[in-house]
Amino acid sequence: MTQNRAELPETDYGLLARQLEALLDTRDALTNTAQTCAFITQSVPGLNWAGFYLHRKPETLILGPFQGKPACNPIPFTKGVCGAAARSRVTQRVDDVHAVEDHIACDADSRSELVIPLSSGDQLWGLLDLDSPLPARFNDQDQAGIEALMKIFIERTDLATL
Ligand code: SME
């Protein structure tokens, strides 16, 4: 794999949005989380981990469907980049995970990270976590593109079954 973000091919997030809409043809949360993280892994270059953590216990993130190495579980809201996303309900984009004191290193290869909280109304359902072995893998376009994919995921999924 390339070591340089600039060498990655451009990702057409508009195309990915249309493909994901076609892929998510059931409202089942287990099916849709599994399909979505597999789809992102196949479609977005330069990732070593892509998956969901689910808010299934108070103030706690439980590991859900993912692609990559076995990962840390559970993650309390008080810890890590994922905990910060869950507490703030704001996307967390980290260019250098080594610079984040309480980053939780599940895979030692990870260098940058994008975490998108999944909420509707005042309910936090969980989050999508993407890791890359490349420093600063995620730019503004990636963040906006993946956030748009998560909007489709939320619209197309019966979140109460998560
Ligand atoms: N790095 C995350 C933990 C989850 S793994 O990357 C899959 C964090 O600091 O919250």
Side-chain angles (χ1 to χ4, degrees):
M1 190 187 277
T2 176
Q3 287 309 300
N4 188 343
R5 164 73 178 87
E7 289 169 15
L8 292 179
E10 278 296 308
T11 299
D12 182 346
Y13 285 105
L15 174 63
L16 297 194
R18 294 193 295 281
Q19 290 175 331
L20 186 65
E21 280 176 346
L23 182 64
L24 301 184
D25 61 356
T26 155
R27 295 198 58 77
D28 186 276
L30 181 60
T31 305
N32 285 1
T33 49
Q35 292 278 50
T36 299
C37 64
F39 174 73
I40 289 173
T41 296
Q42 295 297 317
S43 310
V44 179
L47 303 179
N48 61 322
W49 202 90
F52 290 88
Y53 280 93
L54 307 175
H55 185 200
R56 299 182 104 184
K57 281 169 130 186
E59 305 284 298
T60 307
L61 296 162
I62 303 294
L63 183 62
F66 67 93
Q67 303 264 312
K69 289 186 182 168
C72 313
N73 179 69
I75 298 178
F77 276 24
T78 49
K79 288 219 176 119
V81 181
C82 290
R87 286 195 306 277
S88 64
R89 301 191 185 185
V90 171
T91 295
Q92 305 290 304
R93 194 166 103 209
V94 177
D95 284 347
D96 177 7
V97 297
H98 295 156
V100 176
E101 204 174 312
D102 81 335
H103 168 255
I104 304 165
C106 298
D107 181 341
D109 286 343
S110 297
R111 291 295 308 279
S112 58
E113 182 161 11
L114 182 70
V115 183
I116 298 173
L118 305 172
S119 50
S120 60
D122 53 10
Q123 175 83 35
L124 178 78
W125 297 102
L127 52 82
L128 176 80
D129 181 16
L130 303 181
D131 286 6
S132 173
L134 305 176
R137 160 67 185 83
F138 307 101
N139 62 19
D140 286 346
Q141 282 89 338
D142 296 304
Q143 179 174 338
I146 302 280
E147 285 175 344
L149 297 183
M150 288 304 98
K151 194 161 173 281
I152 292 167
F153 167 83
I154 287 171
E155 284 164 5
R156 301 230 150 200
T157 303
D158 183 1
L159 294 166
T161 60
L162 267 177

